[in-house]
Amino acid sequence: EQEILDSIIISNTAAYAFAKDPLRQDIAENFQYDWIVKNKNKPNLRKLSSGGSNAIYLVEGEIVTGMSKKPGGSKATKSIDFQNDNEYYYAKYTETCGGAQDNQCNDGKKFVEQANLYCNKHQDNKVFILLVDGGYYTEEKKLSIRSTISEQNRHRVRVCGSYEV
């Protein structure tokens, strides 16, 4: 064990092998949150629980909370990240192209699909925002995801970067 610790201290390569990717530690999500609060006049924006009974999900077109475990399958999203009054944000930061990045994007597409379904079922004032930042989300990629939103729901289901909120 001591040999490994010593190698981490003296070798960047060894340290890198044991380092956790910062983008998998909520750093990007925290940056998105802070940037929106400071630059987009959203003082009521709050972070939501990412798990446990306080987490909020979209499941089969319904807003669901109070679950003892995360819902699975194709008819549910991962937990919603932020809320600002009637706005619900699903935040993604993805850099370059690849398999894992495509999975991140598919999570976002599932959120849009479930938000669209919610809006079809409920004529209320809730707005759902897929917040996408990073080099992966080109204008073409955002347009492609937006094209899956029903015309009648485009004012309530949005796909945008932090600067567009």
Side-chain angles (χ1 to χ4, degrees):
E1 284 182 32
Q2 189 60 45
E3 187 178 324
I4 293 171
L5 293 175
D6 291 343
S7 70
I8 290 171
I9 292 168
I10 59 172
S11 167
N12 285 342
T13 303
Y16 183 78
F18 288 96
K20 187 172 182 183
D21 181 351
L23 295 178
R24 299 186 66 81
Q25 298 180 52
D26 296 334
I27 289 172
E29 183 181 302
N30 290 336
F31 181 82
Q32 287 172 301
Y33 173 83
D34 291 340
W35 196 91
I36 291 171
V37 167
K38 291 176 185 157
N39 296 290
K40 290 298 185 173
N41 193 26
K42 303 270 184 187
N44 296 331
L45 189 71
R46 64 185 179 96
K47 287 179 151 187
L48 301 175
S49 178
S50 63
S53 62
N54 291 328
I56 298 174
Y57 306 92
L58 283 172
V59 181
E60 296 188 24
E62 301 292 343
I63 294 175
V64 177
T65 191
M67 300 183 81
S68 57
K69 65 179 190 163
K70 292 181 181 187
S74 62
K75 297 183 189 292
T77 65
K78 292 186 177 177
S79 62
I80 293 173
D81 297 301
F82 317 135
Q83 183 179 0
N84 184 68
D85 302 324
N86 66 322
E87 299 173 336
Y88 295 83
Y89 293 80
Y90 191 80
K92 289 289 176 195
Y93 180 91
T94 311
E95 269 308 324
T96 56
C97 298
Q101 292 82 348
D102 290 343
N103 288 340
Q104 290 283 313
C105 184
N106 288 336
D107 288 344
K109 288 177 182 176
K110 190 182 290 185
F111 171 78
V112 167
E113 177 185 304
Q114 288 297 317
N116 202 36
L117 189 55
Y118 176 93
C119 292
N120 289 340
K121 290 179 165 187
H122 303 278
Q123 304 308 311
D124 56 23
N125 70 343
K126 289 182 174 55
V127 174
F128 300 91
I129 300 165
L130 173 59
L131 187 65
V132 291
D133 291 297
Y136 179 87
Y137 295 104
T138 61
E139 286 306 311
E140 292 79 14
K141 181 70 76 179
K142 288 189 274 189
L143 281 170
S144 172
I145 299 168
R146 283 183 194 125
S147 73
T148 67
I149 303 167
S150 300
E151 187 68 42
Q152 71 269 21
N153 295 332
R154 295 237 164 115
H155 65 292
R156 294 181 59 202
V157 182
R158 297 174 44 209
V159 179
C160 57
S162 294
Y163 62 93
E164 299 170 294
V165 168

